[in-house]
Amino acid sequence: MVQPIHMATTFAQQGVGRHKGFEYGRTGNPTRNALEECLAALEAARHCLAFASGLGAETTLMLLLNPGDHVVYMEDVYGGTFRLFDKVLKRYGLEFTGIDATDLDVVERSITDRTRMLWLESPTNPLLRVVDIDAVSEIAHSRGAMVCVDNTFATPYLQQPLHLGADVVVHSATKYIGGHSDVVGGAIMTNNDDLERQLRFHQNAVGAVPSPFDCWLLLRGVKTLALRVERQSDNAMELATALTSNKTVKRVYYPGLDSNPQRGVAAKQMRMFGGMVSFEVADEATAFRTLERLKIFALAESLGAVESLAEHPARMTHASIPAAERQRSGVGDGLIRLSVGVEDVADLIADLEQALS
Ligand code: P1T
């Protein structure tokens, strides 16, 4: 019932090149294989490759591209993803254009002859905007570009982008897949055999692989994914609704609210609306004061675990995005992001209300 943790870094061979599937720990490991099989099944994918972190997975995927290739990305993405594109990969000749991918005309216009990939997050971090994965994939494919969806916020339980037309899915497994704030990990899923061969080569060549113990923790955590995410989604829906009637709150971002313009797309492609909620207060000082007053929500980066967390994107998770760009994509100084946990929702609402009072 429980996968062993195979710590071996190397495996004895019966003759040179004759072995039972494993040679060297970076190349392959039985615990990692078990994790990859499990995560592939969750995304209903033919292939999964596990990595040491979400960014390790993203970097390895992007190294499949060549200098001069163009990537169009949804402008509202995790700050670390933006930093990887802007500060690292641009130096290797890749070109990036950030767009509002909720507008299909903008998607159409942003694709050039050199566009190889569209990079989507849905729901996005931190504004929970929802991109129509099916519609964007159709446009991208008609122009010869592939679609990668960072499915971290939705989880494979709520949304399966490969079924919606995407070519590749990436995850920060650190979040909902692990679920307990005790392991950093990443994953890539695809149904494309050729892409899998290239990724498998790069996984070994680049070496951003997870430890056997980390694979074991992810296997353990993911057993309760559905239970956790259902509870978190229920809690988030109630909490977002309560926030809409709080007078200190200027705006609530949650795809499940009737007032959300993307609710229809979210309902079409997601089972529930997820455990992340963001909201705006008047300014940075009010946001800081609110965050410091919270008692049940911990003030911390990251998300997706059983414990509720709150953070300030502009100064924390998205601080690596230049202020002007941040403001343009709507991540203001009064924005607070919540990762809603599995606690009693009445306690969570009471905590927010006392902090906002
Ligand atoms: O932290 P890491 O496992 O490397 O994953 C990076 C990453 C990728 N994609 C999304 C959507 C993410 O949210 C993250 C990491 N995000 C946080 C740490 C955060 O607090 O938003």
Side-chain angles (χ1 to χ4, degrees), residues 238-254:
E238 271 196 59
L239 204 140
T241 307
L243 283 173
T244 56
S245 49
N246 187 297
K247 62 181 184 330
T248 314
V249 174
K250 286 169 58 186
R251 186 164 171 192
V252 182
Y253 301 90
Y254 187 65

mmCIF file of all heavy atoms in Angstrom, residues 238-254:
data_model
loop_
_atom_site.group_PDB
_atom_site.id
_atom_site.type_symbol
_atom_site.label_atom_id
_atom_site.label_comp_id
_atom_site.label_asym_id
_atom_site.label_seq_id
_atom_site.Cartn_x
_atom_site.Cartn_y
_atom_site.Cartn_z
ATOM 1 N N GLU A 238 -17.465 30.302 0.300
ATOM 2 C CA GLU A 238 -18.168 30.985 1.404
ATOM 3 C C GLU A 238 -17.418 32.235 1.838
ATOM 4 O O GLU A 238 -18.003 33.286 2.110
ATOM 5 C CB GLU A 238 -18.287 30.033 2.608
ATOM 6 C CG GLU A 238 -19.536 29.196 2.549
ATOM 7 C CD GLU A 238 -19.849 28.558 3.898
ATOM 8 O OE1 GLU A 238 -20.035 29.287 4.898
ATOM 9 O OE2 GLU A 238 -19.893 27.314 3.936
ATOM 10 N N LEU A 239 -16.107 32.080 1.897
ATOM 11 C CA LEU A 239 -15.275 33.187 2.344
ATOM 12 C C LEU A 239 -15.305 34.355 1.345
ATOM 13 O O LEU A 239 -15.429 35.524 1.734
ATOM 14 C CB LEU A 239 -13.860 32.638 2.484
ATOM 15 C CG LEU A 239 -12.953 33.341 3.416
ATOM 16 C CD1 LEU A 239 -12.139 32.323 4.181
ATOM 17 C CD2 LEU A 239 -12.038 34.210 2.622
ATOM 18 N N ALA A 240 -15.211 34.030 0.056
ATOM 19 C CA ALA A 240 -15.252 35.081 -0.978
ATOM 20 C C ALA A 240 -16.591 35.809 -0.910
ATOM 21 O O ALA A 240 -16.654 37.044 -1.004
ATOM 22 C CB ALA A 240 -15.039 34.458 -2.361
ATOM 23 N N THR A 241 -17.665 35.046 -0.722
ATOM 24 C CA THR A 241 -18.994 35.658 -0.641
ATOM 25 C C THR A 241 -19.069 36.587 0.575
ATOM 26 O O THR A 241 -19.576 37.711 0.481
ATOM 27 C CB THR A 241 -20.071 34.546 -0.546
ATOM 28 O OG1 THR A 241 -19.864 33.654 -1.639
ATOM 29 C CG2 THR A 241 -21.475 35.105 -0.608
ATOM 30 N N ALA A 242 -18.530 36.138 1.714
ATOM 31 C CA ALA A 242 -18.540 36.982 2.922
ATOM 32 C C ALA A 242 -17.734 38.260 2.691
ATOM 33 O O ALA A 242 -18.141 39.348 3.120
ATOM 34 C CB ALA A 242 -17.988 36.198 4.114
ATOM 35 N N LEU A 243 -16.612 38.148 1.992
ATOM 36 C CA LEU A 243 -15.765 39.328 1.761
ATOM 37 C C LEU A 243 -16.471 40.382 0.906
ATOM 38 O O LEU A 243 -16.227 41.583 1.080
ATOM 39 C CB LEU A 243 -14.446 38.930 1.082
ATOM 40 C CG LEU A 243 -13.385 38.285 1.973
ATOM 41 C CD1 LEU A 243 -12.209 37.800 1.128
ATOM 42 C CD2 LEU A 243 -12.893 39.267 3.045
ATOM 43 N N THR A 244 -17.344 39.933 -0.001
ATOM 44 C CA THR A 244 -18.016 40.910 -0.879
ATOM 45 C C THR A 244 -18.901 41.870 -0.079
ATOM 46 O O THR A 244 -19.193 42.953 -0.544
ATOM 47 C CB THR A 244 -18.899 40.229 -1.963
ATOM 48 O OG1 THR A 244 -19.824 39.374 -1.300
ATOM 49 C CG2 THR A 244 -18.089 39.442 -2.963
ATOM 50 N N SER A 245 -19.323 41.457 1.129
ATOM 51 C CA SER A 245 -20.149 42.404 1.882
ATOM 52 C C SER A 245 -19.387 43.071 3.030
ATOM 53 O O SER A 245 -19.992 43.657 3.920
ATOM 54 C CB SER A 245 -21.429 41.713 2.380
ATOM 55 O OG SER A 245 -21.116 40.509 3.010
ATOM 56 N N ASN A 246 -18.058 42.981 2.992
ATOM 57 C CA ASN A 246 -17.263 43.687 4.006
ATOM 58 C C ASN A 246 -16.930 45.095 3.496
ATOM 59 O O ASN A 246 -16.410 45.244 2.383
ATOM 60 C CB ASN A 246 -15.974 42.899 4.280
ATOM 61 C CG ASN A 246 -15.192 43.482 5.436
ATOM 62 O OD1 ASN A 246 -14.736 44.623 5.381
ATOM 63 N ND2 ASN A 246 -15.063 42.709 6.503
ATOM 64 N N LYS A 247 -17.188 46.112 4.328
ATOM 65 C CA LYS A 247 -17.063 47.485 3.800
ATOM 66 C C LYS A 247 -15.604 47.928 3.612
ATOM 67 O O LYS A 247 -15.333 48.877 2.881
ATOM 68 C CB LYS A 247 -17.851 48.483 4.660
ATOM 69 C CG LYS A 247 -17.383 48.596 6.093
ATOM 70 C CD LYS A 247 -18.256 49.578 6.843
ATOM 71 C CE LYS A 247 -17.807 49.834 8.273
ATOM 72 N NZ LYS A 247 -17.124 48.760 8.981
ATOM 73 N N THR A 248 -14.651 47.247 4.239
ATOM 74 C CA THR A 248 -13.232 47.589 4.045
ATOM 75 C C THR A 248 -12.704 47.023 2.724
ATOM 76 O O THR A 248 -11.654 47.430 2.239
ATOM 77 C CB THR A 248 -12.391 47.021 5.224
ATOM 78 O OG1 THR A 248 -13.069 47.342 6.436
ATOM 79 C CG2 THR A 248 -10.990 47.571 5.265
ATOM 80 N N VAL A 249 -13.433 46.074 2.174
ATOM 81 C CA VAL A 249 -12.962 45.383 0.965
ATOM 82 C C VAL A 249 -13.504 46.077 -0.273
ATOM 83 O O VAL A 249 -14.708 46.272 -0.426
ATOM 84 C CB VAL A 249 -13.402 43.899 1.002
ATOM 85 C CG1 VAL A 249 -13.070 43.186 -0.302
ATOM 86 C CG2 VAL A 249 -12.748 43.194 2.174
ATOM 87 N N LYS A 250 -12.572 46.482 -1.177
ATOM 88 C CA LYS A 250 -13.001 47.202 -2.380
ATOM 89 C C LYS A 250 -13.421 46.262 -3.499
ATOM 90 O O LYS A 250 -14.291 46.559 -4.283
ATOM 91 C CB LYS A 250 -11.856 48.094 -2.882
ATOM 92 C CG LYS A 250 -11.641 49.325 -2.016
ATOM 93 C CD LYS A 250 -10.354 50.050 -2.359
ATOM 94 C CE LYS A 250 -10.309 50.473 -3.826
ATOM 95 N NZ LYS A 250 -8.998 51.048 -4.178
ATOM 96 N N ARG A 251 -12.733 45.120 -3.580
ATOM 97 C CA ARG A 251 -13.030 44.207 -4.698
ATOM 98 C C ARG A 251 -12.575 42.799 -4.318
ATOM 99 O O ARG A 251 -11.528 42.636 -3.678
ATOM 100 C CB ARG A 251 -12.256 44.698 -5.916
ATOM 101 C CG ARG A 251 -12.574 43.937 -7.155
ATOM 102 C CD ARG A 251 -12.109 44.674 -8.394
ATOM 103 N NE ARG A 251 -12.272 43.760 -9.529
ATOM 104 C CZ ARG A 251 -11.774 43.968 -10.724
ATOM 105 N NH1 ARG A 251 -11.099 45.053 -10.973
ATOM 106 N NH2 ARG A 251 -11.966 43.078 -11.680
ATOM 107 N N VAL A 252 -13.352 41.808 -4.716
ATOM 108 C CA VAL A 252 -13.002 40.410 -4.426
ATOM 109 C C VAL A 252 -12.776 39.686 -5.751
ATOM 110 O O VAL A 252 -13.576 39.832 -6.687
ATOM 111 C CB VAL A 252 -14.130 39.693 -3.639
ATOM 112 C CG1 VAL A 252 -13.719 38.259 -3.296
ATOM 113 C CG2 VAL A 252 -14.478 40.461 -2.374
ATOM 114 N N TYR A 253 -11.696 38.930 -5.817
ATOM 115 C CA TYR A 253 -11.409 38.140 -7.019
ATOM 116 C C TYR A 253 -11.609 36.667 -6.686
ATOM 117 O O TYR A 253 -10.854 36.090 -5.900
ATOM 118 C CB TYR A 253 -9.951 38.337 -7.461
ATOM 119 C CG TYR A 253 -9.588 39.779 -7.774
ATOM 120 C CD1 TYR A 253 -9.102 40.625 -6.780
ATOM 121 C CD2 TYR A 253 -9.724 40.274 -9.065
ATOM 122 C CE1 TYR A 253 -8.749 41.937 -7.069
ATOM 123 C CE2 TYR A 253 -9.381 41.584 -9.361
ATOM 124 C CZ TYR A 253 -8.891 42.407 -8.359
ATOM 125 O OH TYR A 253 -8.553 43.706 -8.645
ATOM 126 N N TYR A 254 -12.661 36.080 -7.252
ATOM 127 C CA TYR A 254 -12.887 34.642 -7.092
ATOM 128 C C TYR A 254 -13.728 34.170 -8.272
ATOM 129 O O TYR A 254 -14.804 34.725 -8.522
ATOM 130 C CB TYR A 254 -13.587 34.330 -5.749
ATOM 131 C CG TYR A 254 -13.663 32.838 -5.494
ATOM 132 C CD1 TYR A 254 -12.510 32.091 -5.303
ATOM 133 C CD2 TYR A 254 -14.888 32.172 -5.499
ATOM 134 C CE1 TYR A 254 -12.564 30.712 -5.112
ATOM 135 C CE2 TYR A 254 -14.948 30.794 -5.297
ATOM 136 C CZ TYR A 254 -13.781 30.080 -5.102
ATOM 137 O OH TYR A 254 -13.833 28.714 -4.930
#
